[in-house]
Amino acid sequence: MDLETVRTFVAVADAGRFQRAADDLSITQQAVSKRVAALERTLGVRLFTRAPRGAELTIDGRAFLPHARELLRVAERASASVRPGRRPLRVDVIASRSAQSSLMRDFHRAHPGIELDVMMLFDIETAVTALRSGAIDASFRAVAAPGRPLPEDIESVRVLDEPLQLLTGPEHALASARSVTLAELVGHRIWMPGIAPGTEWGAYYDDLVAEFGLTIEVTGPNFGSDALLDTISDTPALATFMGEHTRLIWPADHGLRRIPVTDPTPVYPHSLLWHRDNPHPALATLRAHLTAGTAARDAAGTWVPGWVLPHR
């Protein structure tokens, strides 16, 4: 069904006269008549009858009018969904309480006029596919897993190096420490059931284990952060890693401790990814906001795997 014929039909119904609708649409009355006739042929019914006071809707015309208006509304929403400057900026973050979510909340406070649509995709391959298809405008990732470089049409920039902390229960052997070195963690069980093989964060922790001789266990199903915190609180032999900017809430009687890790401090390198041909005007604003304070990346005394792209 031709949307221009539908739009012309609605204009005639609103104006009550073919000539007035022609004036409203900036076309000739003959063009209006042809469009309405074409729509009537498509539908197989008469939509108007000629009357002394103008064009009057038939019974079929009155039945079709609300649907015609809805067709035009749907078409406008579909167009707006891909029109730069008219649709929300669609950004992928890994988790709702992660550092990336905090970065996006800061961006929203700084630019409240920019509409945002924040979503959560699973891994970097899914995110890159979504960037290339236009389903999202940007994604926060660790860029990239070893042996899997980014496609040439995907750009990236490091925006945050997030220090890792050790999270322990109150009875853990390191619970009273003000900080702990990576060497002191050797022999301790670090439980992280959320690590999935083949992901960029899986590659990050594989390299951390290989370089510093740590023991990271991924056994058992991942029941989410609440179950993880319950287990760490109740099990003196277990600890876990958590990003410094990760915002989690737990009951006061859990007695959990967040302990900085040092010598060197392992940092998780968050990068922003986008497609080089993405025209959304808010994307440049987001990049400028996130890179305004990136001068301290790759600071002395920190560690990231060698495959991580340097700050640009």
Side-chain angles (χ1 to χ4, degrees):
M1 187 177 296
D2 186 345
L3 284 176
E4 286 306 312
T5 65
V6 176
R7 185 170 288 107
T8 302
F9 161 74
V10 171
V12 175
D14 289 342
R17 293 181 181 274
F18 277 63
Q19 183 58 59
R20 191 175 300 168
D23 294 340
D24 292 340
L25 295 170
S26 298
I27 59 177
T28 66
Q29 181 176 340
Q30 184 181 20
V32 170
S33 297
K34 286 183 176 180
R35 289 181 183 181
V36 171
L39 182 60
E40 289 176 331
R41 287 194 298 272
T42 298
L43 296 174
V45 298
R46 291 288 301 276
L47 298 172
F48 293 103
T49 58
R50 300 277 184 170
R53 291 182 296 180
E56 294 184 354
L57 288 166
T58 64
I59 293 176
D60 290 322
R62 289 196 295 271
F64 181 63
L65 182 59
H67 300 290
R69 295 191 193 280
E70 182 60 23
L71 279 172
L72 297 179
R73 285 193 290 268
V74 170
E76 173 57 27
R77 289 197 297 269
S79 177
S81 72
V82 295
R83 190 181 304 141
R86 292 291 302 277
R87 63 168 174 77
L89 183 70
R90 297 170 296 208
V91 182
D92 159 49
V93 301
I94 292 178
S96 61
R97 294 186 175 273
S98 63
Q100 307 110 338
S101 290
S102 295
L103 290 174
M104 290 308 301
R105 287 195 295 270
D106 290 343
F107 175 72
H108 179 61
R109 284 190 289 267
H111 301 276
I114 295 178
E115 289 190 66
L116 294 175
D117 187 1
V118 179
M119 58 196 66
M120 288 172 280
L121 302 178
F122 179 68
D123 59 11
I124 193 167
E125 284 81 9
T126 304
V128 167
T129 298
L131 288 171
R132 302 182 84 179
S133 70
I136 61 174
D137 298 300
S139 176
F140 287 94
R141 295 289 154 179
V143 185
R148 288 180 289 171
L150 291 175
E152 292 185 357
D153 55 349
I154 300 298
E155 303 281 351
S156 71
V157 64
R158 284 261 289 283
V159 296
L160 175 67
D161 283 358
E162 182 183 16
L164 295 188
Q165 296 179 334
L166 188 72
L167 185 72
T168 77
E171 303 303 321
H172 192 276
L174 299 173
S176 61
R178 300 186 64 178
S179 65
V180 60
T181 67
L182 283 170
E184 290 173 321
L185 291 179
V186 175
H188 289 279
R189 296 168 60 198
I190 301 169
W191 188 49
M192 302 189 68
I195 296 180
T199 59
E200 69 268 25
W201 60 90
Y204 173 88
Y205 285 107
D206 284 346
D207 274 27
L208 186 65
V209 166
E211 185 151 346
F212 297 101
L214 305 183
T215 302
I216 294 182
E217 302 177 6
V218 297
T219 55
N222 179 15
F223 289 115
S225 60
D226 288 345
L228 173 66
L229 298 175
D230 291 344
T231 302
I232 295 300
S233 173
D234 294 339
T235 311
L238 292 181
T240 193
F241 281 131
M242 177 179 294
E244 182 180 275
H245 301 293
T246 300
R247 299 166 59 91
L248 292 179
I249 300 174
W250 52 77
D253 60 4
H254 272 27
L256 295 172
R257 311 285 198 272
R258 297 181 71 144
I259 306 168
V261 180
T262 62
D263 196 27
T265 297
V267 295
Y268 193 86
H270 300 283
S271 291
L272 186 75
L273 280 62
W274 69 94
H275 193 282
R276 65 172 53 165
D277 295 329
N278 188 310
H280 200 298
L283 182 57
T285 306
L286 175 63
R287 293 201 304 266
H289 174 86
L290 293 174
T291 57
T294 57
R297 303 297 171 264
D298 301 316
T302 62
W303 175 89
V304 295
W307 49 265
V308 171
L309 294 178
H311 165 63
R312 306 203 293 251

